[in-house]
Amino acid sequence: EFEQAKIYAEKSIKTDPSVSLAYFILGGYFYQKRDDENAEKNFKLAEINSKGESVNAIYYLGKLYFEKKRFQSAFDYFSKLP
């Protein structure tokens, strides 16, 4: 199922690269695979394309940074949460 979601997200981005949900799905896919570099990239794109309103992407960026012991970055992202 997760692999299929990745395929649909990639197709969605090819059709409309401004769809923040597609980047969030890819970020989640890479997060589960422990591919931190691609997870970070896609969560950031989700945040950017949602104009900072993607609470889930902001949360996962904070969580990712916390797990990588990048505490200041984690704090910065967690501070953006409502």
Side-chain angles (χ1 to χ4, degrees):
E1 303 93 32
F2 220 47
E3 294 292 330
Q4 194 65 34
K6 177 182 180 273
I7 291 167
Y8 286 130
E10 290 171 336
K11 286 180 182 179
S12 176
I13 291 167
K14 284 181 184 174
T15 302
D16 182 358
S18 69
V19 178
S20 65
L21 180 59
Y23 291 108
F24 178 74
I25 290 169
L26 284 178
Y29 171 84
F30 290 117
Y31 181 84
Q32 291 295 323
K33 296 286 187 181
R34 300 309 314 159
D35 182 346
D36 293 343
E37 185 177 328
N38 280 312
E40 178 182 10
K41 172 185 155 191
N42 282 284
F43 286 142
K44 282 185 175 181
L45 287 168
E47 179 192 14
I48 290 165
N49 284 304
S50 73
K51 298 175 181 66
E53 296 179 7
S54 178
V55 174
N56 290 326
I58 292 167
Y59 169 78
Y60 274 99
L61 280 164
K63 185 176 179 184
L64 180 67
Y65 290 137
F66 186 83
E67 291 170 355
K68 294 173 80 174
K69 299 186 181 353
R70 293 174 54 188
F71 298 119
Q72 185 59 53
S73 294
F75 177 80
D76 292 343
Y77 273 92
F78 286 138
S79 295
K80 294 181 181 183
L81 293 172

